[in-house]
Amino acid sequence: MISKKMEATLNKQIELEAYASFLYLSMASWSDQQGMDGAAKFMLRQSSEEREHMLRIFHYINEVDGHAITPAIKQPPKTFKSINAMLEEVYAHEQKVTKAIHKIVELCYKEDDYTTLNFLQWYIDEQREEEATMRSILDKVKLIGEGGQKLYYIDLELEKFNTVEEGQEAAESDA
Ligand code: FEO
């Protein structure tokens, strides 16, 4: 059993994760339009992951006898100024999600809700990983600079991340 306040806060988090999923889906579509297949695939995977994040909370709320609410999602941007701006926006959004998770952790301590605290541990680890991935991508983007083949090289870098992720997924499904 969770408090009504915790239920409302977790439902807000569902909304944030769902928006991330739609935002990243929109980014995948825009990347595809730019001819950046690696970026499109990368953003599509990120979008699916965010849906998973949303569903985990959804199931958790119902498991602890709360009511998970399917959120209304505002329209994400359809276009982005540049691939650099788009990736910066992903990083900024991830930082926002991390802050929101930390706020829920604070509430757990206030309410002595150690069940939700334990549930959130997975999100804390996940956010650390996601922020690290985005920082590493942005570092590469900076190294690539503004040369004529910039888009090609950024796309190649994102494709490398796709290959690593696919390898990890394959290893996990074999385990
Ligand atoms: Fe689920 Fe990447 O925040």
Side-chain angles (χ1 to χ4, degrees):
M1 189 78 185
I2 49 172
S3 72
K4 282 288 157 202
K5 187 170 181 185
M6 184 60 81
E7 182 184 305
T9 307
L10 288 171
N11 271 314
K12 267 272 164 222
Q13 192 65 28
I14 284 182
E15 199 179 317
L16 200 57
E17 305 284 354
Y19 180 73
S21 180
F22 272 34
L23 174 65
Y24 298 168
L25 193 59
S26 185
M27 288 173 170
S29 180
W30 180 79
S31 299
D32 190 40
Q33 287 283 300
Q34 310 302 304
M36 299 186 75
D37 296 345
K41 207 159 126 193
F42 179 78
M43 292 317 308
L44 205 58
R45 169 177 287 103
Q46 296 303 117
S47 172
S48 299
E49 282 186 10
E50 296 305 340
R51 180 179 150 78
E52 286 299 317
H53 299 174
M54 175 195 76
L55 285 175
R56 268 178 186 256
I57 305 172
F58 206 89
H59 294 313
Y60 175 74
I61 295 176
N62 285 334
E63 192 186 349
V64 291
D65 207 21
H67 185 182
I69 306 295
T70 306
I73 305 298
K74 70 175 194 285
Q75 172 76 54
K78 297 173 194 151
T79 58
F80 302 88
K81 228 170 72 194
S82 64
I83 186 75
N84 301 46
M86 186 192 90
L87 294 169
E88 290 281 358
E89 192 171 335
V90 175
Y91 184 45
H93 195 77
E94 289 305 322
Q95 287 177 304
K96 188 175 167 183
V97 170
T98 302
K99 270 198 189 126
I101 295 285
H102 290 176
K103 279 274 166 212
I104 311 176
V105 167
E106 272 177 43
L107 183 63
C108 288
Y109 281 113
K110 255 185 222 156
E111 296 192 350
D112 292 335
D113 181 348
Y114 301 112
T115 307
T116 305
L117 182 66
N118 187 48
F119 166 73
L120 289 175
Q121 194 58 53
W122 183 89
Y123 284 84
I124 293 171
D125 292 342
E126 180 71 10
Q127 284 310 118
R128 187 197 65 240
E129 277 176 27
E130 291 205 337
E131 284 197 23
T133 299
M134 287 318 298
R135 264 199 309 276
S136 154
I137 288 171
L138 289 171
D139 284 348
K140 291 270 166 38
V141 167
K142 264 185 214 134
L143 285 176
I144 290 167
E146 292 296 329
Q149 291 182 316
K150 175 180 101 167
L151 295 184
Y152 173 78
Y153 286 115
I154 292 178
D155 203 45
L156 216 57
E157 278 306 322
L158 289 168
E159 186 52 44
K160 275 190 215 162
F161 274 94
N162 292 332
T163 309
V164 170
E165 289 278 328
E166 276 161 16
Q168 280 171 358
E169 282 160 16
E172 278 165 21
S173 71
D174 284 352

